[in-house]
Amino acid sequence: MQLVYIASRSLNRPFSPFYVSRRLLNTFVDLRAQQRFNELSKVPDIRILHWDDEYLVIDKPFDLRIDGDTERHTVQSALYHHYPTLPKPLRHIHQLDHATSGCYCIALTAPAAAVGCIAFSKRRVHKTYLAMLRGWMAEDRYVVEQPIAEVASNRFRMCIGSEDKPGKNAKTEIEVYRRGFFDPLSFMSTPPSLINSSETSPAVPNLSISLSRSIPVTLVRLNPITGRRHQLRLHSQYLNHPIVGDWHYEKEIMDYTDTFRMMLHAQRIVIPLDGGCGKKQRRRNKELKIEKLEGKVLDVGTEDPFIGLVTVDKR
């Protein structure tokens, strides 16, 4: 008889390579299952940017869905975990992609949701996004007017419109505010929460940048005049400067940048809360008992999460 030790358990049985392999495999599967459970059970932190009786504005983490039937936590489930007194249901008046971070507004009452939805439907909401794009853009300002169409064979993607698929009109204003280098490998093991985002700090504090493996990038502000799905991602790709880390659209025209996130962030949102100022809408506001919102503007912003990731070439 031979004594075999596997996973701290003694087995008084004859040695069998098959048996040992099976036990090792089971132990590995158990460890992976435990790791998966820990990932799913961890509730993501949600930073509150604004909270009053009508609206809640959060800084949505990247790679987190808003809601839906999923085994992972969502914005909604995380908010109810951290703030159980929040009203039910939460009323989502706009959307952010799963991979996009930044300002996300939630209405806490039905009347507030109505006012917010009117502002979005009438295109009176001003949104500013920040993005890190591949390559150095030649100009400092761009205006892209290209229609956005659905891809019939893939519900997760959109495309620039064509004669066969005209799509819907879309317009984006783009302004460059920095050109430099980004080293994707330097940040793969660095928790994003530890990455300095202050504009007054050094470009990349306490991190070593290897210019030999860095890629040229451009930091831009994007103002979507329309609000089509994947509009900013497609309009950036249309200029041959896709968003760094965009799995769907970067790899279509160049090598995919394997880094810790897609570099798109909703930095500011401005929502007029007057419902449109017309007589009919003011009468509607009175019926909904939300006259106190008239003349108010919800203006909320965040820090720049990308400024500390880009360094200037000092060679």
Side-chain angles (χ1 to χ4, degrees), residues 238-254:
Y238 175 78
L239 295 174
N240 291 319
H241 294 280
I243 296 173
V244 171
D246 189 339
W247 173 256
H248 286 303
Y249 303 115
E250 183 185 16
K251 67 176 183 178
E252 278 191 338
I253 60 174
M254 59 183 64

Side-chain angles (χ1 to χ4, degrees), residues 46-65:
I46 304 290
R47 186 162 73 107
I48 303 298
L49 301 174
H50 174 87
W51 191 350
D52 60 25
D53 293 338
E54 283 80 28
Y55 297 99
L56 173 68
V57 183
I58 64 168
D59 186 0
K60 174 191 168 298
F62 59 86
D63 292 345
L64 184 65
R65 297 189 183 281

Side-chain angles (χ1 to χ4, degrees), residues 187-247:
F187 302 94
M188 292 299 289
S189 60
T190 304
S193 60
L194 299 181
I195 297 176
N196 196 321
S197 61
S198 173
E199 293 197 37
T200 61
S201 301
V204 185
N206 302 322
L207 291 172
S208 175
I209 288 293
S210 170
L211 291 177
S212 62
R213 68 188 185 195
S214 296
I215 57 174
V217 296
T218 302
L219 295 182
V220 297
R221 297 183 182 88
L222 306 102
N223 297 316
I225 307 304
T226 55
R228 309 303 180 195
R229 184 187 179 202
H230 294 186
Q231 173 179 321
L232 303 182
R233 298 162 67 180
L234 279 165
H235 280 180
S236 298
Q237 185 206 53
Y238 175 78
L239 295 174
N240 291 319
H241 294 280
I243 296 173
V244 171
D246 189 339
W247 173 256

Side-chain angles (χ1 to χ4, degrees), residues 291-306:
E291 303 97 316
K292 62 181 179 180
L293 293 179
E294 291 186 9
K296 291 188 176 181
V297 176
L298 186 62
D299 187 346
V300 183
T302 72
E303 303 85 1
D304 182 344
F306 304 138

Side-chain angles (χ1 to χ4, degrees), residues 63-95:
D63 292 345
L64 184 65
R65 297 189 183 281
I66 299 296
D67 56 6
D69 185 13
T70 173
E71 61 180 0
R72 293 182 179 274
H73 277 287
T74 63
V75 166
Q76 185 162 290
S77 66
L79 283 173
Y80 280 132
H81 175 86
H82 293 301
Y83 310 99
T85 59
L86 281 171
K88 295 184 179 181
L90 296 177
R91 294 167 169 85
H92 305 284
I93 59 177
H94 67 119
Q95 284 290 327

Side-chain angles (χ1 to χ4, degrees), residues 116-163:
C117 288
I118 290 171
F120 273 97
S121 65
K122 293 187 175 182
R123 298 182 182 176
R124 303 184 67 240
V125 177
H126 179 80
K127 293 180 288 183
T128 301
Y129 289 77
L130 305 178
M132 183 191 298
L133 307 186
R134 287 288 298 271
W136 288 346
M137 305 185 83
E139 306 295 333
D140 290 337
R141 295 180 182 273
Y142 295 84
V143 176
V144 182
E145 295 186 76
Q146 292 294 323
I148 306 296
E150 295 182 350
V151 177
S153 59
N154 191 333
R155 66 187 181 91
F156 298 106
R157 300 181 65 176
M158 304 293 282
C159 66
I160 296 294
S162 61
E163 292 185 3

